[in-house]
Amino acid sequence: MLIVSNLPLGLEEDEAAAIGAALRKLRARESQVARAAVHKKSLDARRQDRIRFVVSVAVELKDPQAEQALASPQAVWKPRPALSLTPGTAKLEGPIVIAGFGPAGIFAAHTLALQGYRPLVLERGAEVDQRTAAVERFWKEGILDPRTNVQFGEGGAGAFSDGKLTTRISDSRCGYVLEQLVRHGAPGEILTAAKPHIGTDLLRGVIASLRREIIACGGEVRFCSALEGIRLEGGRMAGVRVNGMELPAAHLILAVGHSARDTFRLLREREIPMEGKDFSVGVRIEQLQSTIDRGLYGRWAGHPRLPKGEYQLSHRSGGRCVYTFCMCPGGYVVPSSSEPDTVVTNGMSRHARNGANANAALVVSVGKGDFGPEPLDGVRFQEALERRAFQLGGSDYHAPAMTVGGFLNGGGLKLGAVEPSYALGVTGADFARLFPGEILEQLRLGIVQFQRKLPGFGAPEGVLTGVESRTSSPVRILRDENCISFGGQGLYPCGEGAGYAGGIMSAAVDGIRVAQQIISQYAPW
């Protein structure tokens, strides 16, 4: 197909205007065109006096050779990427087991199952409906289930976020992931949106549909089945222990997610090579969505064709980066603990993004200089923060909180226009008792800097809720160029928990990548 890019589209113009402009640029006759549609659509709000959309249009001609002939600086010709899935000839000596059923595990299992490899998936948490019930009970009653929660269960941590599908990676597999999500019930708009999202409410149905197809193709998914042990013989995977039972496993895909601390400790005991990794910690900052919209759109705020305002901000100072992450327009700050007597926050939006508040993680990068050189020192750093947050919140899963004004200028939690959305309630606290001084300084600096870039970001009535500690995995499980662990043949560290992804899309892509490595070597089971 031909991609015609950088087509401006006014707020009052229909997408047909962009398609017409693309055909005129190509000088293509209508009789030549098989299909023309919007390929990507992004919003340019850098100048509030000239807010517009920027569109790229995909054009398919009836004659593919004519497509290549029309390629030019204005129109790039792109062959449709195909997923490379050529089975190898080696015999599988045992089952392919996948530990974890988040984005990486789902797409590894789905890719293998469609090709006839019949993977066995082990997920420590419950299936999505039971998991949702357990999460809602925690949010309403403060009763935490350590086995099934916002971090653990079908869909992984991404199932209770905004379902954001933005990614910084450029990989042809991304298009395949989007197509599969749409095929299983995600809105078709994610194929063209510059910042696609599904929404927590819709994502759950998509996940369940993917699981049903995996099973229909011969795969198996076992819930409430945490990985308890691995067995290697002669440097190769041989088996796993689950729920006290030994199971054969010639291949094990470790897609356990960034919160599987017991698994990290298990691997460390088995001397599987791993290292500590930088990550970030901070708070959730919550403002009125209308404040963010005015800051971004000015007088155009509230226009029916404008999306809810989003932002992504960063600032570097003194060798650190303070930045916003996982911004949830019209969303909620959600209790996200996976261990008793800890407080962890995250952000979530439904597909409609119609909540009164906007929220985002406001976080500061941390590294070995903050927590130590050993592989699990970062895990211990996270745990200490989360326990302190629990204590500062009153030891009842309330979250410690401050207003932006109180944090910058001193003072308690005197709430104003922004009502905290954290379901279990917040308690006023002094963040000087939560964070080291250097992190506090960076958080303050970030608010001041970002207010200059986005008016309203630092509004004094905004609410800061702690602690945001699960931004990414604190470890990397080392692997070679074929995605195989240096600790043993047949062991595949995969996805965000292993340190090779950051978000739903990149984790899903890494799951497919690992599945392709297995498929390329072995014939179906």
Side-chain angles (χ1 to χ4, degrees):
M1 56 185 173
L2 288 157
I3 306 296
V4 186
S5 302
N6 297 319
L7 300 169
L9 189 68
L11 289 182
E12 305 302 330
E13 290 185 286
D14 190 84
E15 289 181 354
I19 294 172
L23 296 181
R24 288 192 295 274
K25 282 184 177 290
L26 289 173
R27 297 181 181 178
R29 298 188 302 274
E30 191 171 327
S31 59
Q32 291 179 285
V33 178
R35 188 182 75 92
V38 169
H39 178 63
K40 291 292 179 185
K41 182 178 178 182
S42 61
L43 181 68
D44 182 358
R46 290 173 295 176
R47 288 180 52 181
Q48 293 182 356
D49 62 340
R50 197 181 66 170
I51 293 177
R52 60 183 183 172
F53 294 100
V54 178
V55 177
S56 61
V57 172
V59 179
E60 294 182 29
L61 301 183
K62 295 174 182 177
D63 180 2
Q65 291 184 343
E67 287 183 358
Q68 295 185 57
L70 288 174
S72 70
Q74 291 182 316
V76 177
W77 182 73
K78 287 188 176 181
R80 286 193 175 276
L83 200 62
S84 176
L85 295 168
T86 303
T89 57
K91 181 182 178 182
L92 282 169
E93 299 299 331
I96 301 170
V97 176
I98 301 171
F101 203 51
I106 289 171
F107 274 88
H110 188 258
T111 305
L112 289 164
L114 290 182
Q115 300 301 312
Y117 287 79
R118 296 182 293 160
L120 167 62
V121 179
L122 306 173
E123 168 53 53
R124 69 167 63 216
E127 57 86 17
V128 72
D129 290 336
Q130 294 179 23
R131 181 187 183 195
T132 300
V135 167
E136 290 179 349
R137 186 184 185 198
F138 176 49
W139 289 353
K140 290 177 182 177
E141 304 175 33
I143 300 173
L144 175 68
D145 184 343
R147 300 168 302 171
T148 299
N149 45 62
V150 169
Q151 308 295 344
F152 300 144
E154 183 175 23
F160 287 89
S161 65
D162 187 42
K164 281 179 282 293
L165 304 174
T166 50
T167 181
R168 294 181 180 180
I169 66 170
S170 178
D171 191 297
S172 61
R173 301 175 185 90
C174 290
Y176 176 82
V177 172
L178 293 174
E179 289 171 2
Q180 293 302 311
L181 292 172
V182 170
R183 192 166 72 83
H184 286 275
E189 65 199 41
I190 68 172
L191 296 174
T192 58
K195 296 181 178 179
H197 85 286
I198 297 175
T200 298
D201 47 341
L202 301 187
L203 185 59
R204 296 167 188 165
V206 175
I207 291 165
S209 179
L210 283 160
R211 179 232 306 159
R212 289 191 290 269
E213 185 166 43
I214 290 168
I215 293 171
C217 291
E220 183 181 355
V221 182
R222 297 186 190 180
F223 294 109
C224 301
S225 299
L227 184 69
E228 297 170 345
I230 62 172
R231 179 166 55 87
L232 294 104
E233 294 180 355
R236 299 190 63 88
M237 273 301 305
V240 296
R241 187 172 70 253
V242 181
N243 294 335
M245 298 171 48
E246 295 286 336
L247 300 176
H251 300 269
L252 173 62
I253 299 176
L254 280 169
V256 293
H258 60 37
S259 295
R261 293 165 174 171
D262 55 347
T263 306
F264 299 155
R265 290 187 169 103
L266 165 68
L267 297 174
R268 182 67 173 155
E269 290 170 2
R270 295 303 313 271
E271 299 183 341
I272 301 300
M274 59 198 305
E275 64 184 10
K277 184 175 84 51
D278 294 354
F279 55 100
S280 301
V281 298
V283 296
R284 280 270 151 185
I285 184 166
E286 197 164 14
Q287 311 103 337
L288 291 175
Q289 182 65 52
S290 58
T291 299
I292 298 303
D293 290 347
R294 283 195 302 272
L296 289 170
Y297 303 144
R299 67 185 179 88
W300 295 103
H303 190 286
R305 293 197 67 184
L306 285 174
K308 299 291 185 182
E310 295 183 66
Y311 56 79
Q312 185 173 347
L313 304 163
S314 66
H315 179 76
R316 286 195 171 274
S317 174
R320 290 188 189 267
C321 184
V322 55
Y323 62 99
T324 63
F325 169 76
C326 185
M327 194 270 168
C328 297
Y332 309 88
V333 178
V334 295
S336 303
S337 302
S338 57
E339 298 170 5
D341 301 338
T342 62
V343 164
V344 180
T345 64
N346 195 9
M348 180 189 88
S349 292
R350 298 185 176 91
H351 180 69
R353 292 180 161 178
N354 57 2
N357 294 351
N359 78 80
L362 174 65
V363 293
V364 178
S365 58
V366 293
K368 294 176 182 178
D370 298 288
F371 47 74
E374 292 300 312
L376 299 182
D377 283 346
V379 172
R380 288 185 277 271
F381 183 81
Q382 287 178 328
E383 290 172 330
L385 274 178
E386 294 164 11
R387 287 193 294 268
R388 283 202 298 272
F390 180 78
Q391 294 161 2
L392 287 171
S395 299
D396 57 1
Y397 293 107
H398 279 59
M402 301 184 77
T403 61
V404 171
F407 181 61
L408 293 180
N409 305 313
L413 180 68
K414 188 176 180 180
L415 296 176
V418 179
E419 182 178 348
S421 61
Y422 185 85
L424 289 170
V426 299
T427 299
D430 181 0
F431 285 171
R433 298 175 59 193
L434 179 58
F435 295 110
E438 194 169 348
I439 293 175
L440 283 176
E441 292 173 10
Q442 290 292 322
L443 291 173
R444 290 192 180 100
L445 177 63
I447 293 172
V448 172
Q449 291 291 330
F450 301 158
Q451 169 66 21
R452 295 171 181 167
K453 298 178 181 180
L454 173 57
F457 181 91
E461 67 271 17
V463 176
L464 305 171
T465 308
V467 61
E468 174 86 21
S469 53
R470 309 284 181 94
T471 53
S472 67
S473 181
V475 303
R476 178 171 287 111
I477 307 167
L478 302 179
R479 71 185 191 188
D480 66 16
E481 66 277 6
N482 296 316
C483 304
I484 300 172
S485 166
F486 292 109
Q489 287 294 310
L491 181 62
Y492 298 85
C494 179
E496 188 162 353
Y500 296 97
I504 292 173
M505 283 295 292
S506 57
V509 164
D510 201 52
I512 295 169
R513 181 183 294 114
V514 170
Q516 287 175 300
Q517 287 292 335
I518 295 173
I519 290 169
S520 68
Q521 297 176 63
Y522 298 95
W525 172 249

